[in-house]
Amino acid sequence: MFTEEQVPELLAQLTLEEKCSLLSGSDFWHTQPIERLEIPALMVSDGPHGLRKQAEGADDMGLEESVPATCFPTAAALASTWDAALLGEVGRALAEEAKTQGVGVILGPGVNLKRSPLCGRNFEYFSEDPFLAGELAAALVSGIESEGVGTSLKHFAANNQETDRMRINARIDERTLREMYLSIFERIIEKARPATLMCSYNRINNTYSSENHWLLTEVLRDEWGFDGLVMTDWGAVHDRAAGVAAGLDLEMPSSRGWNDQLVAEAVRVGALAESDLDRVVTRVLQLVARYHREMQQTSADSFDPDAHHELACRVATRSAVLLKNEDTALPLLELDDVVVIGEMARTPRYQGAGSSQVNPTRLDSALNVLRRRYPGSPFEPGYPLPGSPVADSPAEHLLRKAQSAASCRTVLLFLGLPAEDESEGYDRQHISLPANHVALLHAVRRTADTVIVLLSNGAAVETASWEADADAILELWLGGQGCSEAVARLVTGEESPSGRLAETIPVKLEQHPSQLNFPGEAGEVRYGEGIFVGYRGLQQLGNQPSYPFGHGLTYTTFEFSDLQAELATITDGMSPGDTVLTTRFAVTNTGDRSGVAVPQLYLGYPDSTVVRPLRELRGFRRVELEPGETTDVEVQVSRRELSFWDVHTHSWRMEPGRLRIEIGVSVEDIKLCIEKELSAPPLLPPLTEWSTVTEWKRRPAAWEKLRPFLASFGKESEFFLLDLPVCKLPLMFEDTLTFDQLAELLVEVGTTPYPTSTL
Ligand code: BGC
């Protein structure tokens, strides 16, 4: 086996054909081995929340048979923990299982922004907020990589829908792309250095990600300093030689030698430089050297399935979000008057479909887990569910039996989305629960004392049309193999809910900013809402959601006080990572149970010259407090977090003015607020002949020179002048200044000479 240092030596011994053979997989899950030079095959495998290693002899796709692995909650649930340390633990556990199976690189996590609640893969993605998604996914990646297993951050980039995912052209403006869609990847690369990235199927502004030089080389490597490998999503290659030149390293899975030959031919005829090929082959060999070596050292490792199951239960417990809890319906003090209703209590919905589907090491139903605590709990399925014992039973009959069982009791009502409602490969058409689930809720409400709804779904479902019938709602997401144990721990109060929403639950789909442009048409989707994704857009439009981003109740109450903020003076010499804002505040548990507060730091810029959201998440903490306990919390913010992407200079910029600093328990529920004056160099776009009079006014030296020419305009006509590009003055008002005077002026103040051709 060779080392990373030996890669140049090895490269020199490879023939052109051998080099090209390394550019694609040998099958679905391995890189190409070369026996002559003892280059082994490296195994990669899906597994963003549990390993999906294809079992020996299983079908090519490996969708049906994979080796048993711990099924952790899916990313939507992981993100609801707001708990980076816990995600690090999950990452280490995933890596242990990968090592046991000889897998060198885990294909995940998926970190695409939840642009629309309809995206079929939202259950596999973290959040509608790039800061939260980036922070949490970085912790997961660090956890995996810390154990010597590689990750593949996916899908780079703008894979925010399943509709036409292999061809769709995502039209996104520069600022939106940088601030919302690329920044997640950038943050994770900086914080966690993933071994690989997986490029997306789609096109971005006309160019397929797999051959996008700007994306894969200029941004990813030149700007962000990524030194790992880029592989394709499965089958995402269009023009392989163009991909090599653009910075795409590995094609997956095998294209049966076809594309390798095309690359060899391109080199032979001089259409592709051999140095481009060598650069790509070097990266493939480095990956094999690094991660295959790790596998050899640790292949004897095994993992403890019980410990991993317990971790899965702990994470599922922390993922659940208590949306509503009228009259302290939860926790249940007694279990003896409880009836369990809903087939999902017996047939759990705990993971999504597609490439992330795991074969769990064990799986229990909430019904069984509850009955272990209280053996007598009665149960009624209430609705048919495909694949369940009552799949073919008449719905009306099930509903009536459930209604009568609910009479004068506390009902634990399990509702959610059936598996076929959300999956990789297609988007959702609506965000409603199935009609028979809602009908069951209404029926049960008529007879029951208390109704506690437990939801299992991978992405937001609307609650507005039915929630009046629920005393409490606990959103479990797709909680993995520990989801049933989590239910028991939470409803009995053994543990308190601590999850917070990482995505908005809108009143209805039509409130959502992406709705005008999703999923596009004629092969193209326009990201028309720009930076106003998720809560940013809802707030801008004045749309109150049912449950806002960041929301989550628990069994105690908190008070927040004493917000202080120190703001550094910003200078041009500061680097993006320098801390510029330090906030401190106190949190007190004012209830009589221990619990977890998740204070969230939001920033806003009332004086901004560019459009900015009302508030954006820029920090959060997870604080565990005993009853009566107070703690001080500090959150620091770097220069980069205060910046926006400036399209004039194509860089991250800040500007002076008021900074609104808020501490909230959700984006709609702000508990503390102060404003500070941010002192920073003014943000001035370069002066050109097309700069307006206002823009000249912002530069005192230039304005002093222009002002005399405008003396003939009175105050009353100033409004007209302000927005006028100066090059229009000689044209429209000959007696102000002549073309020659303007040309001189432009030279004097340091703009480019006046090109008459632009008129
Ligand atoms: C998915 C990827 C996955 C790959 C391999 C693709 O269809 O988009 O997320 O890693 O298949 O299973």
Side-chain angles (χ1 to χ4, degrees), residues 28-29 44-48 52 61 63 106-108 110 121 124-125 152 154-155 159 162 165-166 198-199 201 231-235 252-253 354-356 424:
F28 243 68
W29 308 113
V44 301
S45 198
D46 279 310
R52 184 176 71 91
M61 299 281 283
L63 281 179
I106 291 177
L107 303 174
R121 274 183 108 167
E124 272 190 81
Y125 298 148
S152 197
K154 65 190 187 183
H155 309 88
N159 182 178
E162 291 300 281
R165 68 170 167 163
M166 291 207 162
M198 185 189 291
C199 76
Y201 289 122
M231 69 176 81
T232 59
D233 197 343
W234 266 228
M252 287 302 287
S355 62
S356 70
E424 176 179 340

mmCIF file of all heavy atoms in Angstrom, residues 28-29 44-48 52 61 63 106-108 110 121 124-125 152 154-155 159 162 165-166 198-199 201 231-235 252-253 354-356 424, ligand 1:
data_model
loop_
_atom_site.group_PDB
_atom_site.id
_atom_site.type_symbol
_atom_site.label_atom_id
_atom_site.label_comp_id
_atom_site.label_asym_id
_atom_site.label_seq_id
_atom_site.Cartn_x
_atom_site.Cartn_y
_atom_site.Cartn_z
ATOM 1 N N PHE A 28 -20.530 0.181 -8.481
ATOM 2 C CA PHE A 28 -21.384 1.198 -7.859
ATOM 3 C C PHE A 28 -20.737 1.874 -6.662
ATOM 4 O O PHE A 28 -21.015 3.032 -6.360
ATOM 5 C CB PHE A 28 -22.722 0.563 -7.450
ATOM 6 C CG PHE A 28 -23.872 1.161 -8.172
ATOM 7 C CD1 PHE A 28 -24.024 0.951 -9.539
ATOM 8 C CD2 PHE A 28 -24.787 1.969 -7.522
ATOM 9 C CE1 PHE A 28 -25.062 1.528 -10.228
ATOM 10 C CE2 PHE A 28 -25.836 2.553 -8.206
ATOM 11 C CZ PHE A 28 -25.978 2.328 -9.559
ATOM 12 N N TRP A 29 -19.878 1.162 -5.937
ATOM 13 C CA TRP A 29 -19.438 1.658 -4.632
ATOM 14 C C TRP A 29 -17.922 1.676 -4.438
ATOM 15 O O TRP A 29 -17.458 1.921 -3.320
ATOM 16 C CB TRP A 29 -20.072 0.827 -3.503
ATOM 17 C CG TRP A 29 -21.558 0.730 -3.648
ATOM 18 C CD1 TRP A 29 -22.270 -0.396 -3.934
ATOM 19 C CD2 TRP A 29 -22.512 1.789 -3.532
ATOM 20 N NE1 TRP A 29 -23.609 -0.101 -4.003
ATOM 21 C CE2 TRP A 29 -23.788 1.241 -3.760
ATOM 22 C CE3 TRP A 29 -22.417 3.166 -3.266
ATOM 23 C CZ2 TRP A 29 -24.960 2.004 -3.733
ATOM 24 C CZ3 TRP A 29 -23.584 3.927 -3.226
ATOM 25 C CH2 TRP A 29 -24.833 3.338 -3.462
ATOM 26 N N VAL A 44 -16.926 3.368 -0.930
ATOM 27 C CA VAL A 44 -17.745 4.479 -0.444
ATOM 28 C C VAL A 44 -19.158 3.932 -0.238
ATOM 29 O O VAL A 44 -19.524 2.925 -0.834
ATOM 30 C CB VAL A 44 -17.773 5.648 -1.456
ATOM 31 C CG1 VAL A 44 -16.379 6.169 -1.714
ATOM 32 C CG2 VAL A 44 -18.440 5.234 -2.765
ATOM 33 N N SER A 45 -19.928 4.579 0.622
ATOM 34 C CA SER A 45 -21.255 4.054 0.909
ATOM 35 C C SER A 45 -22.171 5.163 1.409
ATOM 36 O O SER A 45 -21.711 6.077 2.092
ATOM 37 C CB SER A 45 -21.108 2.974 1.981
ATOM 38 O OG SER A 45 -22.235 2.173 1.993
ATOM 39 N N ASP A 46 -23.456 5.078 1.075
ATOM 40 C CA ASP A 46 -24.391 6.067 1.613
ATOM 41 C C ASP A 46 -24.444 5.937 3.130
ATOM 42 O O ASP A 46 -24.121 4.889 3.686
ATOM 43 C CB ASP A 46 -25.789 5.852 1.020
ATOM 44 C CG ASP A 46 -25.884 6.476 -0.371
ATOM 45 O OD1 ASP A 46 -25.504 7.652 -0.503
ATOM 46 O OD2 ASP A 46 -26.319 5.783 -1.309
ATOM 47 N N GLY A 47 -24.911 6.970 3.762
ATOM 48 C CA GLY A 47 -25.016 6.863 5.212
ATOM 49 C C GLY A 47 -25.037 8.166 5.956
ATOM 50 O O GLY A 47 -24.384 8.306 6.981
ATOM 51 N N PRO A 48 -25.817 9.165 5.464
ATOM 52 C CA PRO A 48 -25.841 10.434 6.195
ATOM 53 C C PRO A 48 -26.367 10.295 7.621
ATOM 54 O O PRO A 48 -25.969 11.045 8.491
ATOM 55 C CB PRO A 48 -26.746 11.327 5.348
ATOM 56 C CG PRO A 48 -27.397 10.456 4.344
ATOM 57 C CD PRO A 48 -26.597 9.211 4.231
ATOM 58 N N ARG A 52 -25.575 2.710 4.764
ATOM 59 C CA ARG A 52 -26.344 1.864 3.847
ATOM 60 C C ARG A 52 -25.348 1.125 2.973
ATOM 61 O O ARG A 52 -25.200 1.407 1.796
ATOM 62 C CB ARG A 52 -27.301 2.695 2.992
ATOM 63 C CG ARG A 52 -28.187 1.833 2.100
ATOM 64 C CD ARG A 52 -29.179 2.665 1.342
ATOM 65 N NE ARG A 52 -28.576 3.453 0.300
ATOM 66 C CZ ARG A 52 -28.423 3.051 -0.966
ATOM 67 N NH1 ARG A 52 -28.804 1.844 -1.327
ATOM 68 N NH2 ARG A 52 -27.882 3.848 -1.855
ATOM 69 N N MET A 61 -28.070 -1.188 -7.224
ATOM 70 C CA MET A 61 -28.390 0.032 -6.506
ATOM 71 C C MET A 61 -28.252 -0.174 -5.003
ATOM 72 O O MET A 61 -28.019 0.760 -4.254
ATOM 73 C CB MET A 61 -29.826 0.473 -6.809
ATOM 74 C CG MET A 61 -30.092 0.782 -8.251
ATOM 75 S SD MET A 61 -29.493 2.394 -8.686
ATOM 76 C CE MET A 61 -30.780 3.405 -7.964
ATOM 77 N N LEU A 63 -30.561 -0.730 -3.017
ATOM 78 C CA LEU A 63 -31.630 -0.011 -2.311
ATOM 79 C C LEU A 63 -32.380 -0.924 -1.359
ATOM 80 O O LEU A 63 -32.943 -0.475 -0.377
ATOM 81 C CB LEU A 63 -32.612 0.602 -3.310
ATOM 82 C CG LEU A 63 -32.155 1.901 -3.962
ATOM 83 C CD1 LEU A 63 -33.188 2.402 -4.955
ATOM 84 C CD2 LEU A 63 -31.880 2.977 -2.915
ATOM 85 N N ILE A 106 -18.086 8.048 3.729
ATOM 86 C CA ILE A 106 -19.549 8.056 3.867
ATOM 87 C C ILE A 106 -20.103 9.131 2.935
ATOM 88 O O ILE A 106 -19.639 10.275 2.957
ATOM 89 C CB ILE A 106 -19.949 8.371 5.324
ATOM 90 C CG1 ILE A 106 -19.558 7.206 6.236
ATOM 91 C CG2 ILE A 106 -21.435 8.679 5.432
ATOM 92 C CD1 ILE A 106 -19.837 7.443 7.717
ATOM 93 N N LEU A 107 -21.098 8.764 2.136
ATOM 94 C CA LEU A 107 -21.662 9.708 1.164
ATOM 95 C C LEU A 107 -22.700 10.609 1.836
ATOM 96 O O LEU A 107 -23.891 10.384 1.783
ATOM 97 C CB LEU A 107 -22.292 8.945 -0.003
ATOM 98 C CG LEU A 107 -21.328 8.005 -0.729
ATOM 99 C CD1 LEU A 107 -22.063 7.183 -1.773
ATOM 100 C CD2 LEU A 107 -20.194 8.800 -1.358
ATOM 101 N N GLY A 108 -22.230 11.593 2.507
ATOM 102 C CA GLY A 108 -23.113 12.514 3.213
ATOM 103 C C GLY A 108 -22.275 13.359 4.141
ATOM 104 O O GLY A 108 -21.054 13.212 4.177
ATOM 105 N N GLY A 110 -26.110 15.403 3.504
ATOM 106 C CA GLY A 110 -26.763 16.272 2.508
ATOM 107 C C GLY A 110 -27.077 17.589 3.192
ATOM 108 O O GLY A 110 -27.734 17.600 4.220
ATOM 109 N N ARG A 121 -36.657 15.720 -0.646
ATOM 110 C CA ARG A 121 -35.544 15.259 0.181
ATOM 111 C C ARG A 121 -35.327 16.144 1.399
ATOM 112 O O ARG A 121 -34.285 16.048 2.035
ATOM 113 C CB ARG A 121 -34.262 15.217 -0.654
ATOM 114 C CG ARG A 121 -34.101 13.929 -1.394
ATOM 115 C CD ARG A 121 -32.792 13.874 -2.151
ATOM 116 N NE ARG A 121 -31.865 12.956 -1.530
ATOM 117 C CZ ARG A 121 -30.757 12.530 -2.107
ATOM 118 N NH1 ARG A 121 -30.420 12.956 -3.302
ATOM 119 N NH2 ARG A 121 -29.949 11.673 -1.497
ATOM 120 N N GLU A 124 -33.822 14.782 4.482
ATOM 121 C CA GLU A 124 -32.386 14.504 4.475
ATOM 122 C C GLU A 124 -31.549 15.769 4.623
ATOM 123 O O GLU A 124 -30.330 15.702 4.621
ATOM 124 C CB GLU A 124 -31.993 13.880 3.134
ATOM 125 C CG GLU A 124 -32.109 12.402 3.073
ATOM 126 C CD GLU A 124 -31.475 11.883 1.794
ATOM 127 O OE1 GLU A 124 -30.247 11.742 1.745
ATOM 128 O OE2 GLU A 124 -32.234 11.618 0.840
ATOM 129 N N TYR A 125 -32.181 16.920 4.612
ATOM 130 C CA TYR A 125 -31.450 18.184 4.702
ATOM 131 C C TYR A 125 -31.705 18.835 6.054
ATOM 132 O O TYR A 125 -32.645 18.486 6.761
ATOM 133 C CB TYR A 125 -31.865 19.110 3.550
ATOM 134 C CG TYR A 125 -31.544 18.553 2.167
ATOM 135 C CD1 TYR A 125 -32.359 18.836 1.076
ATOM 136 C CD2 TYR A 125 -30.426 17.733 1.961
ATOM 137 C CE1 TYR A 125 -32.066 18.331 -0.195
ATOM 138 C CE2 TYR A 125 -30.135 17.230 0.696
ATOM 139 C CZ TYR A 125 -30.959 17.522 -0.371
ATOM 140 O OH TYR A 125 -30.678 17.017 -1.612
ATOM 141 N N SER A 152 -18.632 12.944 2.301
ATOM 142 C CA SER A 152 -18.865 13.554 0.994
ATOM 143 C C SER A 152 -20.036 14.514 1.121
ATOM 144 O O SER A 152 -21.199 14.111 1.155
ATOM 145 C CB SER A 152 -19.155 12.485 -0.064
ATOM 146 O OG SER A 152 -18.995 13.052 -1.337
ATOM 147 N N LYS A 154 -22.824 16.858 0.288
ATOM 148 C CA LYS A 154 -23.612 16.823 -0.942
ATOM 149 C C LYS A 154 -24.847 17.679 -0.808
ATOM 150 O O LYS A 154 -25.269 17.957 0.314
ATOM 151 C CB LYS A 154 -23.959 15.374 -1.297
ATOM 152 C CG LYS A 154 -24.881 14.664 -0.278
ATOM 153 C CD LYS A 154 -24.963 13.192 -0.600
ATOM 154 C CE LYS A 154 -26.004 12.518 0.284
ATOM 155 N NZ LYS A 154 -26.079 11.062 0.073
ATOM 156 N N HIS A 155 -25.457 18.144 -1.870
ATOM 157 C CA HIS A 155 -25.101 17.986 -3.269
ATOM 158 C C HIS A 155 -24.716 19.368 -3.730
ATOM 159 O O HIS A 155 -25.561 20.267 -3.738
ATOM 160 C CB HIS A 155 -26.276 17.430 -4.057
ATOM 161 C CG HIS A 155 -26.868 16.192 -3.409
ATOM 162 N ND1 HIS A 155 -27.854 16.222 -2.459
ATOM 163 C CD2 HIS A 155 -26.582 14.871 -3.576
ATOM 164 C CE1 HIS A 155 -28.168 14.994 -2.070
ATOM 165 N NE2 HIS A 155 -27.401 14.147 -2.736
ATOM 166 N N ASN A 159 -29.066 21.993 -5.307
ATOM 167 C CA ASN A 159 -29.972 20.861 -5.566
ATOM 168 C C ASN A 159 -31.102 20.971 -4.538
ATOM 169 O O ASN A 159 -31.100 20.303 -3.527
ATOM 170 C CB ASN A 159 -29.176 19.559 -5.389
ATOM 171 C CG ASN A 159 -29.990 18.309 -5.676
ATOM 172 O OD1 ASN A 159 -29.467 17.199 -5.612
ATOM 173 N ND2 ASN A 159 -31.261 18.450 -5.976
ATOM 174 N N GLU A 162 -36.399 17.920 -6.208
ATOM 175 C CA GLU A 162 -36.233 16.635 -6.868
ATOM 176 C C GLU A 162 -36.801 16.668 -8.278
ATOM 177 O O GLU A 162 -36.356 15.926 -9.147
ATOM 178 C CB GLU A 162 -36.901 15.529 -6.038
ATOM 179 C CG GLU A 162 -36.165 15.259 -4.729
ATOM 180 C CD GLU A 162 -34.734 14.825 -4.970
ATOM 181 O OE1 GLU A 162 -34.496 13.653 -5.299
ATOM 182 O OE2 GLU A 162 -33.829 15.688 -4.831
ATOM 183 N N ARG A 165 -34.466 16.766 -11.346
ATOM 184 C CA ARG A 165 -33.193 17.092 -10.677
ATOM 185 C C ARG A 165 -31.962 16.851 -11.547
ATOM 186 O O ARG A 165 -30.936 17.464 -11.355
ATOM 187 C CB ARG A 165 -33.047 16.310 -9.367
ATOM 188 C CG ARG A 165 -32.870 14.811 -9.522
ATOM 189 C CD ARG A 165 -32.495 14.165 -8.197
ATOM 190 N NE ARG A 165 -32.629 12.725 -8.270
ATOM 191 C CZ ARG A 165 -32.090 11.886 -7.412
ATOM 192 N NH1 ARG A 165 -31.386 12.321 -6.397
ATOM 193 N NH2 ARG A 165 -32.271 10.582 -7.547
ATOM 194 N N MET A 166 -32.088 15.940 -12.531
ATOM 195 C CA MET A 166 -30.913 15.624 -13.345
ATOM 196 C C MET A 166 -30.652 16.648 -14.444
ATOM 197 O O MET A 166 -29.591 16.634 -15.053
ATOM 198 C CB MET A 166 -31.057 14.241 -13.957
ATOM 199 C CG MET A 166 -30.976 13.147 -12.928
ATOM 200 S SD MET A 166 -30.371 11.658 -13.681
ATOM 201 C CE MET A 166 -29.843 10.729 -12.266
ATOM 202 N N MET A 198 -19.674 16.036 -3.117
ATOM 203 C CA MET A 198 -20.389 15.398 -4.225
ATOM 204 C C MET A 198 -21.111 16.490 -5.002
ATOM 205 O O MET A 198 -21.912 17.236 -4.429
ATOM 206 C CB MET A 198 -21.406 14.393 -3.680
ATOM 207 C CG MET A 198 -22.101 13.591 -4.757
ATOM 208 S SD MET A 198 -23.479 12.607 -4.103
ATOM 209 C CE MET A 198 -22.625 11.392 -3.130
ATOM 210 N N CYS A 199 -20.787 16.589 -6.290
ATOM 211 C CA CYS A 199 -21.440 17.659 -7.054
ATOM 212 C C CYS A 199 -22.852 17.244 -7.434
ATOM 213 O O CYS A 199 -23.164 16.070 -7.530
ATOM 214 C CB CYS A 199 -20.612 18.047 -8.275
ATOM 215 S SG CYS A 199 -20.715 16.885 -9.612
ATOM 216 N N TYR A 201 -26.586 17.106 -9.563
ATOM 217 C CA TYR A 201 -26.996 16.764 -10.928
ATOM 218 C C TYR A 201 -27.289 18.007 -11.774
ATOM 219 O O TYR A 201 -27.045 18.031 -12.967
ATOM 220 C CB TYR A 201 -28.296 15.953 -10.892
ATOM 221 C CG TYR A 201 -28.194 14.544 -10.376
ATOM 222 C CD1 TYR A 201 -28.949 14.123 -9.286
ATOM 223 C CD2 TYR A 201 -27.384 13.608 -11.014
ATOM 224 C CE1 TYR A 201 -28.896 12.811 -8.837
ATOM 225 C CE2 TYR A 201 -27.327 12.293 -10.569
ATOM 226 C CZ TYR A 201 -28.084 11.906 -9.483
ATOM 227 O OH TYR A 201 -28.030 10.618 -9.046
ATOM 228 N N MET A 231 -16.403 14.333 -6.234
ATOM 229 C CA MET A 231 -16.976 13.235 -7.019
ATOM 230 C C MET A 231 -18.347 13.662 -7.525
ATOM 231 O O MET A 231 -18.924 14.644 -7.040
ATOM 232 C CB MET A 231 -17.083 11.950 -6.185
ATOM 233 C CG MET A 231 -18.092 11.977 -5.076
ATOM 234 S SD MET A 231 -18.222 10.367 -4.231
ATOM 235 C CE MET A 231 -16.843 10.418 -3.110
ATOM 236 N N THR A 232 -18.857 12.914 -8.489
ATOM 237 C CA THR A 232 -20.185 13.265 -9.013
ATOM 238 C C THR A 232 -21.259 12.627 -8.167
ATOM 239 O O THR A 232 -21.027 11.615 -7.508
ATOM 240 C CB THR A 232 -20.398 12.699 -10.429
ATOM 241 O OG1 THR A 232 -20.267 11.274 -10.360
ATOM 242 C CG2 THR A 232 -19.441 13.288 -11.404
ATOM 243 N N ASP A 233 -22.440 13.198 -8.211
ATOM 244 C CA ASP A 233 -23.583 12.413 -7.767
ATOM 245 C C ASP A 233 -23.715 11.276 -8.785
ATOM 246 O O ASP A 233 -23.142 11.324 -9.883
ATOM 247 C CB ASP A 233 -24.862 13.258 -7.702
ATOM 248 C CG ASP A 233 -25.928 12.558 -6.844
ATOM 249 O OD1 ASP A 233 -25.796 11.338 -6.601
ATOM 250 O OD2 ASP A 233 -26.886 13.222 -6.420
ATOM 251 N N TRP A 234 -24.462 10.237 -8.400
ATOM 252 C CA TRP A 234 -24.472 9.003 -9.205
ATOM 253 C C TRP A 234 -25.082 9.234 -10.591
ATOM 254 O O TRP A 234 -26.282 9.409 -10.740
ATOM 255 C CB TRP A 234 -25.203 7.916 -8.423
ATOM 256 C CG TRP A 234 -24.271 7.049 -7.608
ATOM 257 C CD1 TRP A 234 -24.280 5.670 -7.570
ATOM 258 C CD2 TRP A 234 -23.193 7.457 -6.755
ATOM 259 N NE1 TRP A 234 -23.259 5.226 -6.747
ATOM 260 C CE2 TRP A 234 -22.581 6.278 -6.237
ATOM 261 C CE3 TRP A 234 -22.644 8.677 -6.393
ATOM 262 C CZ2 TRP A 234 -21.483 6.306 -5.385
ATOM 263 C CZ3 TRP A 234 -21.548 8.715 -5.530
ATOM 264 C CH2 TRP A 234 -20.987 7.538 -5.045
ATOM 265 N N GLY A 235 -24.193 9.313 -11.577
ATOM 266 C CA GLY A 235 -24.666 9.508 -12.950
ATOM 267 C C GLY A 235 -24.767 10.968 -13.357
ATOM 268 O O GLY A 235 -25.486 11.292 -14.305
ATOM 269 N N MET A 252 -18.807 8.830 -10.431
ATOM 270 C CA MET A 252 -19.414 7.662 -9.793
ATOM 271 C C MET A 252 -20.822 7.475 -10.332
ATOM 272 O O MET A 252 -21.498 8.456 -10.607
ATOM 273 C CB MET A 252 -19.455 7.824 -8.271
ATOM 274 C CG MET A 252 -18.101 7.688 -7.589
ATOM 275 S SD MET A 252 -17.244 6.114 -7.862
ATOM 276 C CE MET A 252 -18.193 4.987 -6.873
ATOM 277 N N PRO A 253 -21.306 6.221 -10.468
ATOM 278 C CA PRO A 253 -20.491 5.010 -10.330
ATOM 279 C C PRO A 253 -19.705 4.785 -11.616
ATOM 280 O O PRO A 253 -19.442 5.745 -12.350
ATOM 281 C CB PRO A 253 -21.556 3.950 -10.118
ATOM 282 C CG PRO A 253 -22.756 4.461 -10.871
ATOM 283 C CD PRO A 253 -22.692 5.962 -10.805
ATOM 284 N N GLY A 354 -35.193 6.129 -0.373
ATOM 285 C CA GLY A 354 -34.179 6.518 -1.352
ATOM 286 C C GLY A 354 -32.808 6.077 -0.892
ATOM 287 O O GLY A 354 -32.667 5.099 -0.158
ATOM 288 N N SER A 355 -31.811 6.837 -1.288
ATOM 289 C CA SER A 355 -30.430 6.385 -1.060
ATOM 290 C C SER A 355 -30.006 6.443 0.402
ATOM 291 O O SER A 355 -28.962 5.927 0.760
ATOM 292 C CB SER A 355 -29.478 7.222 -1.910
ATOM 293 O OG SER A 355 -29.553 8.574 -1.527
ATOM 294 N N SER A 356 -30.804 7.073 1.265
ATOM 295 C CA SER A 356 -30.391 7.144 2.670
ATOM 296 C C SER A 356 -31.105 6.095 3.520
ATOM 297 O O SER A 356 -31.027 6.131 4.746
ATOM 298 C CB SER A 356 -30.670 8.541 3.229
ATOM 299 O OG SER A 356 -32.061 8.739 3.347
ATOM 300 N N GLU A 424 -36.718 10.664 -1.801
ATOM 301 C CA GLU A 424 -35.798 11.085 -2.854
ATOM 302 C C GLU A 424 -36.473 10.769 -4.196
ATOM 303 O O GLU A 424 -37.194 9.789 -4.304
ATOM 304 C CB GLU A 424 -34.492 10.280 -2.731
ATOM 305 C CG GLU A 424 -33.515 10.585 -3.834
ATOM 306 C CD GLU A 424 -32.205 9.816 -3.695
ATOM 307 O OE1 GLU A 424 -31.892 9.345 -2.587
ATOM 308 O OE2 GLU A 424 -31.509 9.682 -4.714
HETATM 309 C C1 BGC B 1 -28.226 10.452 -4.564
HETATM 310 C C2 BGC B 1 -27.019 10.625 -3.666
HETATM 311 C C3 BGC B 1 -26.501 9.275 -3.259
HETATM 312 C C4 BGC B 1 -26.157 8.464 -4.514
HETATM 313 C C5 BGC B 1 -25.630 7.075 -4.219
HETATM 314 C C6 BGC B 1 -27.925 9.533 -5.737
HETATM 315 O O1 BGC B 1 -29.097 9.249 -6.418
HETATM 316 O O2 BGC B 1 -28.632 11.717 -5.058
HETATM 317 O O3 BGC B 1 -27.365 11.376 -2.536
HETATM 318 O O4 BGC B 1 -25.377 9.412 -2.432
HETATM 319 O O5 BGC B 1 -27.337 8.323 -5.287
HETATM 320 O O6 BGC B 1 -26.621 6.275 -3.691
#
